[in-house]
Amino acid sequence: MADHSMYHALGQGEHLDPNDPNRTSQPAPPQFQPPVAQHPYQQGYGYGYGSTSGSPAPQGQQYYGNPPPHPGAASQPAPPNFAPPQDGGLASQMAGMSLGDGQHSARRKKKDRHVFHAVEAPAGSSQAYNGIPPSGTPATAFLNADPSLQPGGQFVGQPLSPNQFPAAVNAPFNPAYPATPAEFAARGGPIDQGQAPAFVPASGGGQVSPDDIPSVPVSRDVPQQYYLANVYPTFERHVPPPATVSFVAYDQGNSSPKFTRLTMNSIPANNEGLNSTGLPLGLVLQPLARLQPGEMEVPLLDFGDVGPPRCRRCRAYINPFMMFRSGGSKFVCNLCTYPNDTPSEYFCATTPQGVRVDRDQRPELTRGTVEFTVPKEYWTKEPTGIHWLFAIDVTQEAYNKGFLEAFCEGILAALYAPEGGDELDENGEPKRRIPPGAKVGFVTYDKDIHFYNCNPALEQAQMMIMPDIEDPFVPLSDGLFVDPYESKAVITSLLARLPTLFADIKNPEPTLLPTLISCLAAMETTGGKIVCSLSALPTWGPNRLFMRDDGKYSGGEIDKKLFSTEHPAWKKTAEKMVAAGIGIDFFLAAPSGGYLDIATIGHVASTTGGETFYYPNFVAGRDNAKLSLEIKHTVTRETGYQALMKVRCSNGLQISAYHGNFIQHTFGADLEIGVIDADKAVGVTFGYDGKLDSKLDAHFQSALLYTTASGERRVRCCNVIASVSDNPRECMKFVDQDAVYTIIAKDAASKLASTSTTLKDIRLGLTEKTIDILAGYRKNFSSQSHPPGQLVMPEKLKEFSMYMLGLIKSRAFKGGNETSDRRVHEMRMIRSIGAPELSLYLYPRMIPIHNLNPDDGFPDEQTGYLKVPPAVRVSFNRVEAGGVYLVDNGQQCLLWFHSQTSPNLLADLFGEGKDSLSSLDPYSSSLPVLQTHLNAQVRNIIEFLKTMRGSKALTIQLARQGIDGAEYEFARMLIEDRNNEAQSYVDWLVHIHKGVQLEVS
């Protein structure tokens, strides 16, 4: 059973892959279970992740770290003398189905417009199974036992006898689920099970057991095991891996899911079909996403002064799906079908099949994501290396809190490798953290603004004070921006001296907007990025801000005005920055959790494409490491500036909305982005302006025109293809649930920010959306007649309800008391992050570290990857007495200790003498490096988690039961429980089910 696709984890169903050439089977009705061979990923996990090798496979569910619930909650095991049925059993199973001949008429197609790759969309439908269990079926309590253990006419697992299904050709039979032409063509490979929806008995027979409902940790861990050993080919597998899974993508002409995720990889042909699914049709774009080791770099292509070939009508860039006709002298646009003349310098002969002879030598015709260097007509101004300007708050509050010192140390750590560090390039020089051509400058501010001349010829930096904050200007022409490596000595001494320089000048009130205006003036000609620290409400000077939020909300609901800025001057400055190609990142440390008006200040960051790093309770000893790592990440991640973005789609579709951090002056215009980096994503939703042709594919292309940090003007193109189906039921097999909830979340965040919708309306809307999708599936696509007491979830949307509950519980949308700063911060964050970061934010990863196997946290001999123990469900009833858990939601990472944690475990983790919870340092942000086995395991696991996140750094914070305040944060993260003013997972599913029943009836 080496093939991952045969394995169903906890009734999760495998990732159906209708384009898998090896697929032969049809879906199995989930009925009864003979024993099935052990799956390789189950062996030897000590977490109840299955039994150890050699013992028979468990029947029904595997329990994660908990004893099974009382018998009857899950399926009952088969009787002891029960043998897998042989031929007679096959006949008896088929007795429930009508027999006839399985011939198909192939579809007749128009001239094929698939380029080179023949990708056949699955067609046809699965007939309803009449629900009569074959004879000899042991009764199960619910239809939700582990489908990997349930044949029902088709066997999953090793073929048990040679004359199994598929039946011999001459035996006339009429399968319960006719194969589609694509499936029929792919017969003869190993058996692969079809769509198995999840069933949750949501009413009737007693209490719903939490083990019966779909588990997010399993839906992540099982594919993760598969992708440690296999690559993801972007054309053969039509549904991407879950967003949090680390995988290596092999670009075959369709863009990698790291850059682009479509909500549906097979699209209904018309609007009615889309409405019947309830799903949004959208695309999540993260154009500069990081690649993993082992993935091919994005190819960079230079077409000289003529620029890349483009369609004359719709201006789409050349891509693998454009067809060459007339011997190569014409190319037909795949988006608008216009036949263009091939430019003479790009001409190449074609083979009789219409494929260019040089196709394989041309990355733009074989790869889904490419970059073009562009000529002068694409420039708005002369591109230069990116300019970084650090604007540092030096008020009394920043000094007292240690924020000023931490920020200066963070900048030093970001620009220069530590002394004696191992980061050297080929010539033995210290490795540059920022590319050649990039420059840095420094400004500090309290109630005046101070500029620094860091010219390398000077012994130390010169400070120039600009007191005129009514009409700010830039007091020095050169020396403000310098190469950080030429001026290393000057910059190092300046940053070391700054905290002491302002120790005695105690100005309590900062003036922020005039500082931003003068920074804008300094960078107007070049564009670039500002990194600004702030630790008090800017209450000084023109356009100062006031205490708008006093924490008292009449009517219990927070005032919508607090979610946006009313201030015209701040809005105008943000727009000017975008026009000049400038973006800004803020590092905000609230004075003991006080009000900072992030709605106004963060507006500048979110409009320009930047980001806000918020420390609601900054403590110098504990948060320095996090701050330092985040500044380093900001400076070193891939960053482009002066960006324009445009998304194009096939005829018959049109763009209905964009969601993200940008300015769009009129609908249909390009998105203008001051800066864009590897962690930013944009959501795009589409509508229909006609009917799509199901014989052709739907195509999408995004183009991002930007200047790189090293000063090159480029276009990054991502091309995505989706099949079109007249039968929306087929489309349900190709849904990408990560993209679906990402689009829904971005849409909700945009609504909250820009319309009059209240928080309560947003939460109701999210609940209704969930009900619509599940009810649409039940009404229109569910093949079997299920008893009304069952909640039926589509195969590809099993965990969707859990993520939606996580969204309703997030700080941005939850009910109850939450300061406007935190709400606005998280709302804007949801609007700008990609699917991997959002997935973790909505459902944290919880790893028990008190019962690790000896080989967990060390590289696996076979794959060379780190063995990470399986995560457990985030619910307090999964927490064991004396347990220690690592909980990470991508924004912060808590190390939670039960009050009865073993002293030996603490000594192993933290060293001699640290054998009680009270002896630990509450401000520690990392583990000490010790020679103990457990310490090495946990440090390795933390290092591994650092590679799987967005822009926020991973440092640990201790949460000791009954001691630390962070325990409240831990309780908030257990989102399967009843908390955050919302229901527990089980109650939520029951609530959703009632809604679905009302809709269906």
Side-chain angles (χ1 to χ4, degrees):
M1 272 193 72
D3 181 8
H4 160 75
S5 60
M6 299 173 195
Y7 175 53
H8 289 250
L10 283 188
Q12 297 300 295
E14 102 288 15
H15 295 266
L16 173 76
D17 179 6
N19 298 341
D20 184 353
N22 302 327
R23 165 192 168 90
T24 55
S25 74
Q26 280 79 20
Q31 290 295 335
F32 77 129
Q33 327 124 304
V36 170
Q38 185 74 25
H39 196 274
Y41 301 143
Q42 276 179 289
Q43 294 175 6
Y45 268 91
Y47 279 119
Y49 211 87
S51 50
T52 49
S53 49
S55 63
Q59 295 290 333
Q61 305 277 358
Q62 291 94 334
Y63 296 95
Y64 264 52
N66 271 36
H70 61 89
S75 49
Q76 291 136 4
N81 57 356
F82 179 73
Q86 298 300 322
D87 324 348
L90 177 65
S92 69
Q93 289 164 31
M94 292 193 136
M97 311 177 188
S98 59
L99 299 173
D101 81 295
Q103 296 306 314
H104 295 278
S105 55
R107 289 184 309 165
R108 295 196 48 203
K109 301 177 40 170
K110 268 190 196 163
K111 174 148 172 41
D112 210 338
R113 220 191 80 201
H114 299 285
V115 181
F116 193 53
H117 313 267
V119 177
E120 178 83 44
S125 77
S126 311
Q127 245 91 59
Y129 171 69
N130 58 10
I132 304 168
S135 54
T137 309
T140 57
F142 307 118
L143 282 174
N144 69 321
D146 183 344
S148 64
L149 311 172
Q150 300 160 351
Q154 298 87 296
F155 295 99
V156 186
Q158 300 299 76
L160 298 175
S161 66
N163 51 356
Q164 290 270 292
F165 197 80
V169 182
N170 54 5
F173 77 99
N174 182 11
Y177 295 81
T180 62
E183 293 163 350
F184 187 69
R187 61 200 177 282
I191 293 185
D192 169 359
Q193 166 144 336
Q195 291 296 91
F199 309 111
V200 176
S203 64
Q207 200 53 43
V208 182
S209 151
D211 295 291
D212 297 338
I213 50 187
S215 153
V216 174
V218 174
S219 73
R220 292 171 176 174
D221 287 345
V222 174
Q224 180 64 76
Q225 291 302 326
Y226 174 78
Y227 283 109
L228 289 179
N230 296 275
V231 298
Y232 171 81
T234 60
F235 228 122
E236 292 158 30
R237 302 239 153 187
H238 237 164
V239 179
T244 50
V245 166
S246 156
F247 65 94
V248 170
Y250 172 58
D251 186 339
Q252 299 174 311
N254 203 12
S255 190
S256 155
K258 295 188 176 171
F259 302 113
T260 55
R261 274 178 180 268
L262 273 172
T263 55
M264 311 171 82
N265 294 287
S266 175
I267 295 174
N270 54 27
N271 205 16
E272 291 68 52
L274 182 66
N275 292 343
S276 70
T277 66
L279 294 164
L281 175 55
L283 178 63
V284 181
L285 281 170
Q286 198 167 338
L288 299 181
R290 272 187 297 287
L291 293 171
Q292 234 172 266
E295 294 186 318
M296 298 185 286
E297 288 293 311
V298 175
L300 177 61
L301 309 165
D302 191 349
F303 287 93
D305 288 342
V306 288
R310 298 178 68 175
C311 169
R312 299 213 3 227
R313 185 198 282 166
C314 70
R315 306 299 292 147
Y317 291 83
I318 187 83
N319 64 63
F321 306 109
M322 289 195 172
M323 297 287 289
F324 285 85
R325 295 257 174 87
S326 316
S329 60
K330 286 209 179 313
F331 66 93
V332 180
C333 175
N334 58 323
L335 297 170
C336 69
T337 65
Y338 180 75
N340 296 272
D341 293 330
T342 308
S344 55
E345 69 279 354
Y346 195 63
F347 176 79
C348 173
T350 58
T351 66
Q353 289 79 32
V355 178
R356 278 175 64 119
V357 180
D358 67 349
R359 179 190 171 86
D360 293 335
Q361 283 78 53
R362 289 207 170 266
E364 74 275 15
L365 300 179
T366 52
R367 302 276 293 276
T369 307
V370 292
E371 285 208 312
F372 302 111
T373 314
V374 289
K376 283 203 170 49
E377 62 258 31
Y378 291 81
W379 296 3
T380 39
K381 52 180 92 160
E382 182 77 30
T384 58
I386 192 167
H387 286 53
W388 291 93
L389 184 56
F390 294 95
I392 306 167
D393 172 5
V394 289
T395 52
Q396 183 177 355
E397 186 69 48
Y399 174 76
N400 293 351
K401 242 192 326 218
F403 189 56
L404 171 56
E405 196 173 344
F407 195 71
C408 292
E409 283 167 8
I411 297 173
L412 277 174
L415 293 178
Y416 309 112
E419 285 300 319
D422 46 5
E423 298 186 35
L424 298 176
D425 61 12
E426 304 81 78
N427 314 328
E429 297 288 312
K431 195 167 159 193
R432 297 180 69 103
R433 290 278 179 79
I434 62 176
K439 298 191 167 170
V440 299
F442 297 91
V443 171
T444 57
Y445 67 98
D446 44 22
K447 65 182 206 304
D448 301 322
I449 305 168
H450 326 105
F451 286 80
Y452 294 87
N453 181 348
C454 295
N455 193 321
L458 298 169
E459 280 185 16
Q460 61 179 39
Q462 290 174 343
M463 172 174 168
M464 297 192 175
I465 299 181
M466 189 198 66
D468 182 9
I469 54 176
E470 296 293 330
D471 187 13
F473 61 96
V474 184
L476 69 163
S477 56
D478 55 344
L480 176 60
F481 289 104
V482 292
D483 182 305
Y485 298 96
E486 288 173 9
S487 304
K488 184 173 176 180
V490 180
I491 291 173
T492 316
S493 78
L494 169 68
L495 290 173
R497 282 188 7 252
L498 273 182
T500 48
L501 206 65
F502 290 95
D504 307 326
I505 312 169
K506 292 209 164 67
N507 282 324
E509 301 178 283
T511 173
L512 182 57
L513 192 67
T515 307
L516 297 183
I517 292 170
S518 56
C519 292
L520 169 63
M523 305 171 83
E524 195 126 35
T525 53
T526 59
K529 186 148 186 189
I530 302 168
V531 178
C532 178
S533 74
L534 176 72
S535 55
L537 190 65
T539 49
W540 185 264
N543 297 309
R544 59 183 181 271
L545 300 177
F546 300 97
M547 190 73 184
R548 292 196 295 164
D549 181 2
D550 53 5
K552 301 188 185 81
Y553 312 124
S554 54
E557 190 86 334
I558 195 164
D559 188 357
K560 280 285 301 217
K561 282 211 229 27
L562 294 174
F563 291 158
S564 55
T565 173
E566 303 285 294
H567 227 298
W570 288 79
K571 286 182 171 172
K572 197 166 129 201
T573 306
E575 282 171 26
K576 278 187 179 162
M577 281 185 172
V578 175
I582 300 170
I584 182 162
D585 279 358
F586 280 109
F587 287 82
L588 306 172
S592 58
Y595 180 64
L596 273 182
D597 201 351
I598 293 182
T600 302
I601 296 168
H603 173 81
V604 184
S606 74
T607 308
T608 58
E611 182 169 10
T612 310
F613 294 87
Y614 180 48
Y615 306 88
N617 186 16
F618 184 83
V619 176
R622 180 191 69 201
D623 296 331
N624 283 17
K626 187 169 166 68
L627 175 70
S628 175
L629 286 167
E630 283 175 0
I631 297 172
K632 178 181 168 188
H633 181 74
T634 291
V635 174
T636 53
R637 66 183 166 191
E638 184 168 358
T639 303
Y641 66 105
Q642 274 178 33
L644 290 172
M645 187 165 181
K646 178 95 175 155
V647 178
R648 297 178 172 86
C649 54
S650 289
N651 285 345
L653 291 172
Q654 58 185 7
I655 289 166
S656 54
Y658 287 102
H659 307 289
N661 288 353
F662 51 76
I663 282 187
Q664 189 179 20
H665 286 298
T666 56
F667 185 73
D670 294 356
L671 309 185
E672 296 183 28
I673 309 172
V675 292
I676 184 164
D677 57 63
D679 299 310
K680 297 292 173 292
V682 172
V684 194
T685 50
F686 302 95
Y688 290 83
D689 61 2
K691 186 175 185 305
L692 296 172
D693 184 346
S694 60
K695 297 179 185 62
L696 308 176
D697 290 329
H699 298 265
F700 303 89
Q701 182 182 68
S702 79
L704 173 76
L705 171 67
Y706 71 108
T707 308
T708 63
S710 53
E712 275 185 44
R713 197 79 174 143
R714 293 183 188 171
V715 169
R716 178 164 291 201
C717 256
C718 300
N719 301 289
V720 200
I721 181 173
S723 55
V724 177
S725 172
D726 284 324
N727 175 6
R729 183 188 169 138
E730 285 299 318
C731 304
M732 294 304 287
K733 299 179 186 174
F734 296 99
V735 174
D736 177 354
Q737 70 179 359
D738 295 298
V740 173
Y741 63 72
T742 304
I743 289 285
I744 291 174
K746 286 181 183 295
D747 182 45
S750 302
K751 264 205 195 99
L752 189 58
S754 54
T755 63
S756 59
T757 323
T758 63
L759 278 165
K760 196 173 172 191
D761 296 343
I762 298 269
R763 288 195 297 276
L764 278 172
L766 292 173
T767 310
E768 278 165 17
K769 189 79 183 153
T770 315
I771 291 173
D772 281 351
I773 290 171
L774 295 180
Y777 180 72
R778 179 85 188 231
K779 267 194 303 213
N780 305 319
F781 312 119
S782 183
S783 56
Q784 299 155 297
S785 51
H786 297 290
Q790 273 181 350
L791 176 60
V792 186
M793 301 184 192
E795 166 71 12
K796 292 284 174 245
L797 291 169
K798 280 189 182 154
E799 297 78 31
F800 174 70
S801 314
M802 180 70 250
Y803 284 115
M804 292 299 275
L805 178 61
L807 193 58
I808 287 174
K809 288 185 173 187
S810 69
R811 275 214 167 85
F813 305 125
K814 71 191 257 306
N817 270 341
E818 197 62 63
T819 64
S820 63
D821 272 356
R822 294 201 81 153
R823 276 196 197 275
V824 171
H825 169 67
E826 307 222 346
M827 173 189 84
R828 288 197 176 124
M829 184 185 84
I830 287 173
R831 216 168 59 194
S832 71
I833 57 183
E837 198 175 347
L838 183 68
S839 180
L840 205 51
Y841 169 73
L842 297 181
Y843 194 98
R845 198 185 264 126
M846 177 154 104
I847 297 177
I849 57 175
H850 53 282
N851 53 3
L852 293 176
N853 279 353
D855 55 351
D856 282 335
F858 291 109
D860 187 349
E861 270 88 47
Q862 277 86 37
T863 61
Y865 287 101
L866 193 80
K867 280 191 75 166
V868 180
V872 296
R873 299 173 80 141
V874 287
S875 164
F876 200 73
N877 62 16
R878 305 280 160 169
V879 170
E880 297 172 12
V884 181
Y885 295 85
L886 200 60
V887 191
D888 172 28
N889 72 349
Q891 309 300 313
Q892 68 183 130
C893 179
L894 299 176
L895 191 54
W896 184 85
F897 296 91
H898 191 273
S899 56
Q900 294 153 11
T901 304
S902 140
N904 299 352
L905 186 147
L906 292 174
D908 277 356
L909 263 185
F910 291 97
E912 292 297 313
K914 304 277 193 212
D915 51 8
S916 69
L917 289 179
S918 51
S919 65
L920 302 179
D921 173 12
Y923 291 161
S924 50
S925 60
S926 59
L927 293 175
V929 179
L930 304 175
Q931 297 304 311
T932 61
H933 189 80
L934 177 70
N935 179 278
Q937 284 179 301
V938 178
R939 277 190 318 179
N940 287 348
I941 290 169
I942 289 175
E943 284 304 315
F944 173 73
L945 293 180
K946 282 183 183 175
T947 62
M948 314 248 303
R949 52 204 299 107
S951 58
K952 306 296 187 295
L954 189 151
T955 54
I956 59 170
Q957 184 175 346
L958 301 189
R960 298 164 294 178
Q961 192 178 18
I963 302 176
D964 293 315
E967 211 197 342
Y968 289 112
E969 218 27 60
F970 172 70
R972 268 201 73 235
M973 284 187 187
L974 299 176
I975 58 167
E976 286 199 20
D977 296 336
R978 185 175 162 201
N979 53 17
N980 293 310
E981 322 292 323
Q983 297 146 301
S984 70
Y985 187 17
V986 173
D987 294 347
W988 161 251
L989 286 180
V990 171
H991 173 69
I992 291 293
H993 181 238
K994 283 179 186 150
V996 171
Q997 277 176 316
L998 282 173
E999 283 277 315
V1000 172
S1001 60

